[in-house]
Amino acid sequence: MKGTCHCGAVEIEVELLNGFADARRCDCSFCRRRGTIAVTARLSDLRVVRGAENLTLYQFGTRTAKHWFCRTCGNYTHHQRRSNPGEYGVNVAILEGVNPRDLGEVPWTDGVNHPSDR
């Protein structure tokens, strides 16, 4: 599956681990502000096809999760998860031919009480 940031400077190819079955939102301080629906891919199943040099990294808190954004348009593309660093969360909205509205009600993950904080 192909995905691009808003301006098209960054393009990825990704094979989703469970398709859209595990689509979810997170209510941690960062995710709830960006409002993204994320789906899962293994690290080996996401490839930056174009624009790797245009991606910028943001980390906060424990600095375990790694969030990538296009430095031109600011669009969030994907992140390496804190809950499972062997997986990426991929922004559903960047995926070609996908409208997040079509996913219906999407469950929330409790990022405020993250399992890694226990």
Side-chain angles (χ1 to χ4, degrees), residues 4-5 13-14 17 21 23 27 29-30 40 43-44 48 53 59 62 64 79 83 85 90 97 100-101 106-107 114:
T4 59
C5 65
E13 285 182 354
V14 63
L17 186 60
D27 70 351
S29 63
F30 188 58
T40 304
L43 296 187
S44 60
V48 178
E53 71 286 348
Q59 292 180 277
T62 65
T64 305
H79 72 283
S83 57
V90 179
R101 283 181 69 169
V106 176
H114 198 282

Side-chain angles (χ1 to χ4, degrees), residues 31-90:
C31 291
R32 73 174 174 252
R33 284 173 174 81
R34 72 177 178 214
T36 303
I37 297 171
V39 288
T40 304
R42 291 183 194 94
L43 296 187
S44 60
D45 290 338
L46 186 145
R47 184 171 70 90
V48 178
V49 175
R50 181 180 68 244
E53 71 286 348
N54 214 52
L55 285 172
T56 190
L57 175 65
Y58 177 70
Q59 292 180 277
F60 68 100
T62 65
R63 303 185 64 81
T64 305
K66 297 175 182 171
H67 304 264
W68 281 278
F69 295 80
C70 172
R71 71 177 65 240
T72 302
C73 66
N75 201 192
Y76 152 70
T77 56
H78 63 289
H79 72 283
Q80 187 172 2
R81 291 193 164 134
R82 178 177 175 211
S83 57
N84 183 347
E87 292 179 346
Y88 285 124
V90 179

Side-chain angles (χ1 to χ4, degrees), residues 11 17 25 35 38 43 46 59 63 91 98 103 106 109-110 115:
E11 179 182 334
L17 186 60
R25 296 178 181 270
L43 296 187
L46 186 145
Q59 292 180 277
R63 303 185 64 81
N91 179 359
V98 178
L103 298 178
V106 176
T109 298
D110 185 359

